[in-house]
Amino acid sequence: MSSRSSARLGRSVALHLVLTPLALIWLFPLWMMVVFSTMPDNGIFSPGIELLPHGNFMDNFNNLQRDTDFVGAIGISVSVAVTYTFLSVLLTSMAGWALARYRFFGKGVVVAIILGTITLPYAVVLIPQFIMVARDFKLANTWVALIVPPLFNSLGVLFMRQSFSMMPDDLFDAARVEGVKEWRIFLFIALPLARPMLAALAIILFLASWNNYLWPLLINSQPGSMTAPVALGTLIGLTKVSWGGIMAGAVMLTVPMLIVFVLLQRHFIAGIAAGAIK
């Protein structure tokens, strides 16, 4: 074995020795969440430390389903997250395409405003947005109120603007010379080239919608139309907290997302890397 190969092997071993304990530390709270989901409420706060699962998961889930109709809430969350992700990816891509490929008056001001919105804390716009949607538009307790207000994503627009800016101008100019319409250039040339970035953006937006708690809590108060995170929050009462049900629901919300991320991490990393290099 050459000295260069030995050095590379040594660096790889050292890197794994450092990262493996860090990965275990990161995974430990997730594992304890799984363990707590299989324990009764009185066992979660027992003096001893339990590291192995018990057999009460189905009891906790049945209590959760009885109190919140959690399966229905998951269905609502999936529908909202999928619809939101599709529409938001489409709108942010269109905005990014316009900012990257077209010249128009005030373009710099528009980019500056979008950058400025990133610096605003969400709490600043939350109450005005709620008043406008619930009182002025009277859209409270509707799917439109859950999906439409968060659609505009400043980071998504800037991310897609950067992605489209990286593409060669000659490719689109050649298509225009051939008489291809602008909307066909966008749909059939630009978007396929930006597929890794679109996949990364879709994963980020889906997770943001899936984990969103505050806005659905404010705008949707109907028990039968709550998203899954809001339904879990209803288990925290003034005199009783169903910790076993909360942990079972948290496992059902977390584990599928981890599986999806592991399966799609190649596309996610490729999209982030492609959008960061110019």
Side-chain angles (χ1 to χ4, degrees), residues 16-28:
H16 280 78
L17 289 177
V18 173
L19 293 182
T20 299
L22 294 177
L24 293 176
I25 292 173
W26 182 82
L27 290 172
F28 183 73

PDB file of all heavy atoms in Angstrom, residues 16-28:
ATOM      1  N   HIS A  16     -14.116   8.975  10.911  1.00  0.00           N
ATOM      2  CA  HIS A  16     -15.198   8.131  11.416  1.00  0.00           C
ATOM      3  C   HIS A  16     -15.161   8.032  12.942  1.00  0.00           C
ATOM      4  O   HIS A  16     -16.220   7.972  13.594  1.00  0.00           O
ATOM      5  CB  HIS A  16     -15.120   6.734  10.801  1.00  0.00           C
ATOM      6  CG  HIS A  16     -15.680   6.655   9.413  1.00  0.00           C
ATOM      7  ND1 HIS A  16     -14.971   7.101   8.315  1.00  0.00           N
ATOM      8  CD2 HIS A  16     -16.878   6.204   8.946  1.00  0.00           C
ATOM      9  CE1 HIS A  16     -15.704   6.909   7.225  1.00  0.00           C
ATOM     10  NE2 HIS A  16     -16.859   6.370   7.579  1.00  0.00           N
ATOM     11  N   LEU A  17     -13.974   8.025  13.525  1.00  0.00           N
ATOM     12  CA  LEU A  17     -13.871   7.981  14.982  1.00  0.00           C
ATOM     13  C   LEU A  17     -14.440   9.239  15.626  1.00  0.00           C
ATOM     14  O   LEU A  17     -14.971   9.198  16.738  1.00  0.00           O
ATOM     15  CB  LEU A  17     -12.399   7.802  15.402  1.00  0.00           C
ATOM     16  CG  LEU A  17     -11.788   6.429  15.129  1.00  0.00           C
ATOM     17  CD1 LEU A  17     -10.316   6.414  15.514  1.00  0.00           C
ATOM     18  CD2 LEU A  17     -12.542   5.339  15.892  1.00  0.00           C
ATOM     19  N   VAL A  18     -14.340  10.354  14.928  1.00  0.00           N
ATOM     20  CA  VAL A  18     -14.889  11.607  15.459  1.00  0.00           C
ATOM     21  C   VAL A  18     -16.387  11.710  15.201  1.00  0.00           C
ATOM     22  O   VAL A  18     -17.167  12.102  16.082  1.00  0.00           O
ATOM     23  CB  VAL A  18     -14.150  12.814  14.842  1.00  0.00           C
ATOM     24  CG1 VAL A  18     -14.824  14.121  15.246  1.00  0.00           C
ATOM     25  CG2 VAL A  18     -12.692  12.822  15.280  1.00  0.00           C
ATOM     26  N   LEU A  19     -16.828  11.343  13.993  1.00  0.00           N
ATOM     27  CA  LEU A  19     -18.223  11.548  13.614  1.00  0.00           C
ATOM     28  C   LEU A  19     -19.164  10.506  14.209  1.00  0.00           C
ATOM     29  O   LEU A  19     -20.341  10.806  14.446  1.00  0.00           O
ATOM     30  CB  LEU A  19     -18.354  11.538  12.087  1.00  0.00           C
ATOM     31  CG  LEU A  19     -17.692  12.703  11.353  1.00  0.00           C
ATOM     32  CD1 LEU A  19     -17.929  12.590   9.851  1.00  0.00           C
ATOM     33  CD2 LEU A  19     -18.234  14.037  11.863  1.00  0.00           C
ATOM     34  N   THR A  20     -18.695   9.283  14.439  1.00  0.00           N
ATOM     35  CA  THR A  20     -19.579   8.245  14.972  1.00  0.00           C
ATOM     36  C   THR A  20     -20.142   8.605  16.346  1.00  0.00           C
ATOM     37  O   THR A  20     -21.359   8.500  16.562  1.00  0.00           O
ATOM     38  CB  THR A  20     -18.851   6.898  15.024  1.00  0.00           C
ATOM     39  OG1 THR A  20     -18.449   6.522  13.694  1.00  0.00           O
ATOM     40  CG2 THR A  20     -19.743   5.817  15.609  1.00  0.00           C
ATOM     41  N   PRO A  21     -19.319   9.046  17.321  1.00  0.00           N
ATOM     42  CA  PRO A  21     -19.919   9.467  18.600  1.00  0.00           C
ATOM     43  C   PRO A  21     -20.881  10.648  18.437  1.00  0.00           C
ATOM     44  O   PRO A  21     -21.912  10.703  19.122  1.00  0.00           O
ATOM     45  CB  PRO A  21     -18.699   9.856  19.451  1.00  0.00           C
ATOM     46  CG  PRO A  21     -17.559   9.127  18.841  1.00  0.00           C
ATOM     47  CD  PRO A  21     -17.840   9.083  17.386  1.00  0.00           C
ATOM     48  N   LEU A  22     -20.544  11.587  17.551  1.00  0.00           N
ATOM     49  CA  LEU A  22     -21.450  12.718  17.330  1.00  0.00           C
ATOM     50  C   LEU A  22     -22.783  12.251  16.759  1.00  0.00           C
ATOM     51  O   LEU A  22     -23.849  12.758  17.139  1.00  0.00           O
ATOM     52  CB  LEU A  22     -20.795  13.737  16.398  1.00  0.00           C
ATOM     53  CG  LEU A  22     -19.556  14.468  16.942  1.00  0.00           C
ATOM     54  CD1 LEU A  22     -18.974  15.391  15.879  1.00  0.00           C
ATOM     55  CD2 LEU A  22     -19.915  15.263  18.196  1.00  0.00           C
ATOM     56  N   ALA A  23     -22.729  11.288  15.835  1.00  0.00           N
ATOM     57  CA  ALA A  23     -23.969  10.752  15.269  1.00  0.00           C
ATOM     58  C   ALA A  23     -24.794  10.038  16.333  1.00  0.00           C
ATOM     59  O   ALA A  23     -26.026  10.169  16.374  1.00  0.00           O
ATOM     60  CB  ALA A  23     -23.646   9.801  14.120  1.00  0.00           C
ATOM     61  N   LEU A  24     -24.134   9.298  17.221  1.00  0.00           N
ATOM     62  CA  LEU A  24     -24.859   8.612  18.293  1.00  0.00           C
ATOM     63  C   LEU A  24     -25.497   9.607  19.247  1.00  0.00           C
ATOM     64  O   LEU A  24     -26.623   9.389  19.720  1.00  0.00           O
ATOM     65  CB  LEU A  24     -23.902   7.677  19.048  1.00  0.00           C
ATOM     66  CG  LEU A  24     -23.380   6.477  18.243  1.00  0.00           C
ATOM     67  CD1 LEU A  24     -22.381   5.685  19.075  1.00  0.00           C
ATOM     68  CD2 LEU A  24     -24.525   5.582  17.785  1.00  0.00           C
ATOM     69  N   ILE A  25     -24.793  10.701  19.547  1.00  0.00           N
ATOM     70  CA  ILE A  25     -25.370  11.736  20.416  1.00  0.00           C
ATOM     71  C   ILE A  25     -26.601  12.356  19.766  1.00  0.00           C
ATOM     72  O   ILE A  25     -27.605  12.628  20.426  1.00  0.00           O
ATOM     73  CB  ILE A  25     -24.310  12.814  20.727  1.00  0.00           C
ATOM     74  CG1 ILE A  25     -23.200  12.210  21.605  1.00  0.00           C
ATOM     75  CG2 ILE A  25     -24.934  14.028  21.418  1.00  0.00           C
ATOM     76  CD1 ILE A  25     -22.029  13.155  21.830  1.00  0.00           C
ATOM     77  N   TRP A  26     -26.548  12.580  18.456  1.00  0.00           N
ATOM     78  CA  TRP A  26     -27.683  13.159  17.746  1.00  0.00           C
ATOM     79  C   TRP A  26     -28.853  12.186  17.691  1.00  0.00           C
ATOM     80  O   TRP A  26     -30.015  12.584  17.794  1.00  0.00           O
ATOM     81  CB  TRP A  26     -27.254  13.533  16.329  1.00  0.00           C
ATOM     82  CG  TRP A  26     -28.338  14.185  15.536  1.00  0.00           C
ATOM     83  CD1 TRP A  26     -28.721  15.490  15.551  1.00  0.00           C
ATOM     84  CD2 TRP A  26     -29.211  13.529  14.591  1.00  0.00           C
ATOM     85  NE1 TRP A  26     -29.768  15.705  14.680  1.00  0.00           N
ATOM     86  CE2 TRP A  26     -30.088  14.521  14.077  1.00  0.00           C
ATOM     87  CE3 TRP A  26     -29.334  12.228  14.125  1.00  0.00           C
ATOM     88  CZ2 TRP A  26     -31.063  14.238  13.138  1.00  0.00           C
ATOM     89  CZ3 TRP A  26     -30.314  11.933  13.192  1.00  0.00           C
ATOM     90  CH2 TRP A  26     -31.158  12.939  12.703  1.00  0.00           C
ATOM     91  N   LEU A  27     -28.571  10.889  17.560  1.00  0.00           N
ATOM     92  CA  LEU A  27     -29.630   9.892  17.436  1.00  0.00           C
ATOM     93  C   LEU A  27     -30.224   9.494  18.783  1.00  0.00           C
ATOM     94  O   LEU A  27     -31.352   8.972  18.825  1.00  0.00           O
ATOM     95  CB  LEU A  27     -29.088   8.634  16.741  1.00  0.00           C
ATOM     96  CG  LEU A  27     -28.767   8.772  15.256  1.00  0.00           C
ATOM     97  CD1 LEU A  27     -28.071   7.519  14.747  1.00  0.00           C
ATOM     98  CD2 LEU A  27     -30.029   9.040  14.451  1.00  0.00           C
ATOM     99  N   PHE A  28     -29.512   9.743  19.874  1.00  0.00           N
ATOM    100  CA  PHE A  28     -29.990   9.289  21.181  1.00  0.00           C
ATOM    101  C   PHE A  28     -31.358   9.866  21.551  1.00  0.00           C
ATOM    102  O   PHE A  28     -32.237   9.118  22.015  1.00  0.00           O
ATOM    103  CB  PHE A  28     -28.958   9.615  22.262  1.00  0.00           C
ATOM    104  CG  PHE A  28     -29.337   9.115  23.629  1.00  0.00           C
ATOM    105  CD1 PHE A  28     -29.279   7.763  23.923  1.00  0.00           C
ATOM    106  CD2 PHE A  28     -29.774   9.999  24.607  1.00  0.00           C
ATOM    107  CE1 PHE A  28     -29.640   7.289  25.174  1.00  0.00           C
ATOM    108  CE2 PHE A  28     -30.137   9.535  25.857  1.00  0.00           C
ATOM    109  CZ  PHE A  28     -30.073   8.169  26.147  1.00  0.00           C
TER     110      PHE A  28
END
